[in-house]
Amino acid sequence: MRKTPAQRLRRERITAVVHSVFACIGAVFVTLLAFSAIATVIDLSDGAFTIMSSIALCAGCFGASFTAAKRRRKDGLKTGLMCGAIIFGVTLLGGIIFVRSFSAGGFFTKLLIILICSSLGGIIGVNSPQRFR
């Protein structure tokens, strides 16, 4: 049975979301793995761990929006900002549930970091050459 255009569009959106989630998780995992290897060799301060976790968050945001924008092939900034908003919401909800604290400085810093990295990933993802389909 053939699929209607609406069904194909829905399937493309779902696969783009699934691929971008896996790209985000993979990028965060790889960067945290590298940072943990560095931390076992070198004695680091608490500030260094904060910076490393922010870099891992940036890599995950960039990877998710890059993948989503590359699959969609249009509206890179909008796609990146939507990915960033979703990641920020999940991060905020996870922080409220597990840490049970809220600081205004951390809130706006994470928001700024996530939106910048996600929008850059979306823009670069749309403008990157398409190799495979």
Side-chain angles (χ1 to χ4, degrees):
M1 183 169 157
R2 293 187 182 211
K3 295 186 181 195
T4 64
Q7 289 173 333
R8 278 184 285 182
L9 182 65
R10 182 173 181 236
R11 182 171 172 84
E12 286 178 13
R13 287 181 180 166
I14 290 172
T15 56
V17 167
V18 169
H19 282 120
S20 64
V21 165
F22 283 135
C24 179
I25 292 170
V28 169
F29 178 75
V30 168
T31 53
L32 287 178
L33 187 68
F35 289 149
S36 65
I38 292 170
T40 57
V41 175
I42 302 170
D43 187 28
L44 297 172
S45 66
D46 290 339
F49 285 114
T50 304
I51 292 171
M52 286 181 181
S53 67
S54 296
I55 292 171
L57 182 63
C58 285
C61 292
F62 184 86
S65 60
F66 180 86
T67 304
K70 190 162 179 84
R71 293 202 45 101
R72 195 158 178 230
R73 302 301 302 169
K74 64 178 183 176
D75 297 332
L77 183 62
K78 180 178 156 185
T79 303
L81 290 174
M82 285 188 338
C83 284
I86 292 169
I87 291 171
F88 179 73
V90 169
T91 305
L92 181 67
L93 186 64
I96 290 172
I97 291 172
F98 295 115
V99 181
R100 292 191 175 123
S101 68
F102 178 79
S103 68
F107 175 82
F108 289 113
T109 304
K110 281 185 182 153
L111 178 65
L112 186 65
I113 287 172
I114 288 172
L115 290 180
I116 288 173
C117 292
S118 294
S119 60
L120 282 175
I123 291 169
I124 293 172
V126 164
N127 293 321
S128 67
Q130 186 175 5
R131 298 208 172 115
F132 303 107
R133 188 68 180 152

